[in-house]
Amino acid sequence: MSTRVRFAPSPTGYLHIGGARTALYNYLFAKKTNGTFVLRIEDTDLERSKREYEELQRGDLKWLGLIHDEGPDKPNPKYAPYRQSERLEIYMKYGLQLIESGHAYYDFTTDAELEAMKEAAQEEGADQHYNGIWKKPEMHAEALKRIAAGEKAAIRFRAPQKDYQLKDHVKGDVTYPSGMVGDFVIIRSNGVPVYNYCCVIDDWTMDITHVIRGEDHLNNTVRQLMIYEALGAKAPEFAHVSLLIGSDRQKLSKRHGATSVNLYREEHYLPEAMNNYLTLLGWSHPNEVDIFDKEDIQGIFDIDRFSASSAMYDLEKFKWVNGQHIKKMSNDKLIALVEELPGTEFFKAQSVEWKNAALDRYKQDVHFTTDIPKLINEQILSTEIEMTDALKEILSWETTPKIIDYISSQVESYGAPFISEADLNNWMDHVKKELGVKGKPLFQGVRATLTGHDHGPDLKVLIPLTPVEVIRTRIKGLK
Ligand code: GLU
């Protein structure tokens, strides 16, 4: 049977970066194994689940390119529906089957009675597992009578008291000792099932072969194994990936900064960088490659390469990864991205040659696409003269006014909109040979004249990108 994996978000908020990482790992595993990636919506928490959050989470998954093969919008009739709220009949059908087979029972105990039972057990120091009368098999006939009379009951699962073993792809051999869990409700008296139960029914009936999810679900797995066993179903393979932690080694939370994907989107992180960085948080490339697209690794992604220890979320590293993706991006793609940004009218109006030259220069040392128009504004378009002490000193040298006069006359009569590198070289030569200025006074004097600054990027790159008009204004400001 080919592999089938799922990402099963609860639509109770934005897509968390930990969730995005889980989705990504499932996606990569499906690609690697030519399997199917299913999107299932776990919306049984009726109060907190909202369709709006489902849409937002799906939008974020799409932005990341984590496209599912099956889901609410792409149903396979064999497995649909894909929203748990639309599968209540299925849960009830198997709930009744579990009652039939003696693995579960109707429980009419009220919340208040449950509370009182718990308190009493606590006082006696006894174990607090459910031990009500409805657990007794002889109560079944009475339960059926009450149900027939229209009374509502929860369905409670009879938890076997024995050890359970799990062979987890990340955590290795896990033993759940007998007595860890008592009988637990699988369907509430209002007909709404609980997570551990629907998860099993869905994974089973959707033929899910591998469950890749966060380590926070490791404790749930024992209940799920019990239900598989009771159904006579084969449990899928499990890989519980380690948690994301902040620099203080605590579970990643809002305290550590933005934790939802949409906030990174708004801050112009690239989806390919997010996929790259999230992949590295818990998985390592066999050749220790750091920068890759998800397409580069889908052939080598292996769930046995997950790290068993927690992954430290490091925003600085994420920014660096983002910068590396800008660096390796084609100029065509980068041009399109930059042009979507506000304040890029000047950029848009330039020739393709100019854009390519500007990007070749700036993509080397930015972390974000938004840094590019910022640097263009600061270094190419700004006519502001910042009178630093260093600039004052350069202007005070006796050679500098000569340079300003000469370059100013060249710039005044310059016919093209940009100064060519060849002309810049000629001017430098002239200053050197005809005006007799060399070394520091030459380079700093020319820089101060053309840029109005005492330092900055290589003039040979910068000046051919700067409109002559801007240089004229700068020189006026210096005089
Ligand atoms: N709805 C669960 C969650 O969002 C899914 C857990 C699972 O993958 O089994 O955590």
Side-chain angles (χ1 to χ4, degrees), residues 166-424:
L166 171 69
K167 262 199 180 325
D168 190 88
H169 278 273
V170 186
K171 301 288 161 197
D173 290 326
V174 181
T175 301
Y176 300 98
S178 168
M180 210 179 134
V181 289
D183 294 0
F184 55 94
V185 170
I186 53 175
I187 301 182
R188 298 182 185 90
S189 54
N190 62 3
V192 179
V194 305
Y195 157 72
N196 276 311
Y197 173 66
C198 339
C199 173
V200 169
I201 298 298
D202 291 345
D203 286 342
W204 177 46
T205 56
M206 291 182 175
D207 288 335
I208 297 300
T209 58
H210 295 74
V211 170
I212 305 170
R213 63 185 172 196
E215 182 184 55
D216 45 338
H217 287 291
L218 195 59
N219 273 346
N220 286 322
T221 311
V222 64
R223 291 183 175 81
Q224 300 181 9
L225 292 176
M226 289 173 177
I227 301 172
Y228 281 111
E229 185 182 60
L231 290 164
K234 182 174 174 292
E237 290 184 39
F238 290 94
H240 285 96
V241 295
S242 48
L243 288 187
L244 299 184
I245 54 171
S247 52
D248 55 358
R249 308 204 67 81
Q250 300 299 309
K251 188 177 167 191
L252 196 68
S253 71
K254 287 196 178 132
R255 270 185 309 120
H256 299 102
T259 51
S260 58
V261 172
N262 66 314
L263 294 175
Y264 289 91
R265 251 176 108 168
E266 283 168 19
E267 286 182 30
H268 299 278
Y269 280 80
L270 298 167
E272 49 272 49
M274 182 163 242
N275 283 328
N276 186 162
Y277 184 58
L278 291 180
T279 305
L280 290 175
L281 286 175
W283 186 83
S284 59
H285 193 291
N287 304 330
E288 292 180 23
V289 177
D290 257 352
I291 300 300
F292 45 74
D293 286 327
K294 66 183 188 339
E295 292 72 19
D296 300 334
I297 54 160
Q298 61 197 27
I300 53 170
F301 187 79
D302 176 352
I303 53 171
D304 291 315
R305 289 194 64 81
F306 283 131
S307 149
S309 49
S310 308
M312 176 111 53
Y313 188 75
D314 175 353
L315 198 54
E316 289 310 312
K317 171 108 194 256
F318 188 4
K319 284 182 189 166
W320 176 79
V321 169
N322 203 64
Q324 296 301 307
H325 278 267
I326 293 179
K327 205 167 173 174
K328 81 183 190 75
M329 190 180 279
S330 74
N331 281 354
D332 286 351
K333 187 168 172 198
L334 193 50
I335 289 173
L337 287 181
V338 169
E339 293 189 348
E340 279 172 16
L341 300 172
T344 53
E345 292 68 26
F346 170 79
F347 184 93
K348 283 186 206 139
Q350 303 313 308
S351 66
V352 176
E353 291 73 27
W354 187 97
K355 290 176 187 172
N356 279 321
L359 293 183
D360 286 343
R361 162 73 186 84
Y362 287 113
K363 73 203 251 189
Q364 302 308 324
D365 43 29
V366 295
H367 283 137
F368 298 99
T369 50
T370 44
D371 292 337
I372 295 176
K374 220 161 89 194
L375 286 171
I376 290 177
N377 278 327
E378 282 167 18
Q379 300 183 350
I380 294 183
L381 298 179
S382 166
T383 53
E384 206 175 301
I385 311 273
E386 198 195 341
M387 265 306 163
T388 58
D389 289 345
L391 183 60
K392 277 187 204 148
E393 195 196 324
I394 299 169
L395 294 175
S396 73
W397 297 334
E398 57 156 336
T399 48
T400 308
K402 286 196 257 177
I403 299 177
I404 297 181
D405 278 350
Y406 167 67
I407 290 187
S408 163
S409 68
Q410 296 299 314
V411 169
E412 267 324 306
S413 58
Y414 206 81
F418 294 96
I419 297 160
S420 69
E421 195 183 329
D423 284 332
L424 177 66

Side-chain angles (χ1 to χ4, degrees), residues 111-171:
D111 286 349
E113 285 166 346
L114 281 174
E115 208 39 54
M117 280 159 68
K118 239 188 186 170
E119 270 169 31
Q122 213 163 10
E123 268 166 34
E124 283 167 32
D127 96 59
Q128 290 170 38
H129 294 334
Y130 175 86
N131 201 17
I133 51 161
W134 300 102
K135 187 178 169 86
K136 298 192 170 96
E138 57 270 29
M139 295 303 287
H140 184 55
E142 165 70 11
L144 287 181
K145 247 191 256 162
R146 290 202 189 190
I147 291 289
E151 231 179 286
K152 297 265 180 270
I155 299 181
R156 191 178 283 273
F157 185 78
R158 205 183 285 287
Q161 296 306 306
K162 60 172 190 176
D163 289 359
Y164 279 82
Q165 312 287 344
L166 171 69
K167 262 199 180 325
D168 190 88
H169 278 273
V170 186
K171 301 288 161 197

